[in-house]
Amino acid sequence: MFFRRAFLVFLRKMSSKSAQNSQRRSSPSSGTLFKMQAVSGGLFAAFAVTHLLNHSLLLIPGNNTQDHEHLMIQLRSIYQNPVVEFTLIGAFILHSATGLVQLVNRVQRMGLKGIPFLGSGPPSLDWHRISGYVLSGVVVGHFAATRWFPLQSGYQIDVTYATLSMEVLPWIFPLYYTLFTACSIYHSLYGITQAVNRLGPSSVRIPQTQSLWKKILFGSLVAGATITWGVYGHPIPRREEFLQIYESYMPPFLQVWKSM
């Protein structure tokens, strides 16, 4: 309750400052913000979909981590190219920033009555926003854990890095990966359909029934659990290297493998 109230006060101050600034200069229109979100979200969604499809290869009978790693090495040569990587980081920052601006705008309109995060549209939009709020924080942590800290440690990780996390902390990471994947799928699909319907040709319209989006939400959760299951249970030949990376950023109380 305290954190919710503190965050709402923070939003009120931001919206008040935004209102004062708007008297001195015009702010981007809702249409401009939507276009910025559509472009930045589309760029990042392309990476997310490719990354999840790579992990999905582990679900195909006969495939193993070597097949997965072979494709990942080829993909990394593209998305870890400095130009591409910084473009993706910029797209994520822009997408999150425009989302925050829209949240502040909703606070201005609603005056903090009710929950400004939700309630101004159909349930499918609420789920889209919730998944977006979750991803805004989780993507940063995931980037740090799978890119920044391994880079600082001098190791290149593979998919068994995630396998090991589920083995040593089974009460955290299976659920984490399931929800992370589900949020990525649902948020991407909803955002893409909204962009197509609003910015695409008038002859192209994607149905937006709530019953359809309930099924997509359920399907996203199932897909998240299935992909997570595909990553689980593989041999981990580089266990000690990966544990060293974990120890560089995980708090001591989570480093349960030291007492095993």
Side-chain angles (χ1 to χ4, degrees), residues 3-13 112 114 116-117:
F3 291 107
R4 177 181 180 275
R5 182 178 299 175
F7 188 58
L8 292 178
V9 170
F10 168 73
L11 289 175
R12 183 188 290 121
K13 291 182 179 179
L112 293 181
F117 315 105

Side-chain angles (χ1 to χ4, degrees), residues 105-120:
N105 290 342
R106 285 199 299 277
V107 171
Q108 288 181 312
R109 291 195 306 269
M110 298 174 65
L112 293 181
K113 296 178 181 178
I115 304 177
F117 315 105
L118 310 172
S120 59

Side-chain angles (χ1 to χ4, degrees), residues 11 33-34 36-37 40 92-106 117 129 132-133 136 187:
L11 289 175
L33 287 172
F34 182 84
M36 293 168 69
Q37 277 204 307
S40 59
F92 172 75
I93 293 173
L94 177 61
H95 195 71
S96 299
T98 51
L100 180 60
V101 171
Q102 291 183 321
L103 173 58
V104 171
N105 290 342
R106 285 199 299 277
F117 315 105
R129 287 173 176 165
Y133 302 142
S136 293
H187 194 79

Side-chain angles (χ1 to χ4, degrees), residues 50-191:
T50 303
H51 196 59
L52 291 176
L53 286 176
N54 185 194
H55 290 332
S56 299
L57 289 178
L58 293 170
L59 298 170
I60 300 175
N63 278 4
N64 53 39
T65 55
Q66 286 73 32
D67 299 318
H68 174 280
E69 182 66 12
H70 178 71
L71 177 58
M72 179 170 279
I73 289 173
Q74 297 181 57
L75 292 174
R76 278 176 175 166
S77 67
I78 299 174
Y79 63 70
Q80 288 186 358
N81 175 283
V83 175
V84 177
E85 188 164 33
F86 279 103
T87 297
L88 289 173
I89 292 173
F92 172 75
I93 293 173
L94 177 61
H95 195 71
S96 299
T98 51
L100 180 60
V101 171
Q102 291 183 321
L103 173 58
V104 171
N105 290 342
R106 285 199 299 277
V107 171
Q108 288 181 312
R109 291 195 306 269
M110 298 174 65
L112 293 181
K113 296 178 181 178
I115 304 177
F117 315 105
L118 310 172
S120 59
S124 57
L125 178 58
D126 288 345
W127 302 330
H128 177 69
R129 287 173 176 165
I130 290 172
S131 62
Y133 302 142
V134 170
L135 290 170
S136 293
V138 171
V139 166
V140 174
H142 191 71
F143 175 81
T146 62
R147 180 65 173 142
W148 177 256
F149 288 108
L151 198 63
Q152 297 302 305
S153 300
Y155 295 126
Q156 184 71 278
I157 65 171
D158 57 36
V159 70
T160 60
Y161 180 82
T163 304
L164 179 61
S165 68
M166 289 190 280
E167 179 183 307
V168 297
L169 293 170
W171 60 89
I172 295 177
F173 281 102
L175 179 61
Y176 163 80
Y177 289 129
T178 296
L179 294 179
F180 186 13
T181 303
C183 286
S184 300
I185 294 172
Y186 184 89
H187 194 79
S188 297
L189 289 176
Y190 190 91

